[in-house]
Amino acid sequence: MNRPPPYFPQNQLSPPSEKRYKRFKIFVAISIAASLVLLAGAGFGVYYLIRWLF
């Protein structure tokens, strides 16, 4: 077993796609915006629930 480990190339074989990163950034931005809207909705819901209870 005196042989070197197999060679794994460290770089990509194809150049990186600009569309892929742009689509990923848009997806992340939409996800963050949706999370903020849901959080704000939950906050208003809790506020009105507490106001209705007391």
Side-chain angles (χ1 to χ4, degrees):
M1 298 294 298
N2 278 344
R3 50 190 173 149
Y7 172 71
F8 294 103
Q10 298 297 315
N11 57 351
Q12 289 181 339
L13 297 178
S14 62
S17 170
E18 286 295 322
K19 276 187 179 178
R20 188 172 123 201
Y21 296 118
K22 191 173 186 177
R23 221 178 309 147
F24 175 71
K25 284 197 288 189
I26 290 172
F27 174 75
V28 169
I30 290 173
S31 301
I32 291 172
S35 299
L36 288 176
V37 168
L38 286 173
L39 212 59
F44 276 112
V46 168
Y47 170 75
Y48 283 115
L49 176 67
I50 291 174
R51 206 172 103 181
W52 179 71
L53 288 174
F54 296 108

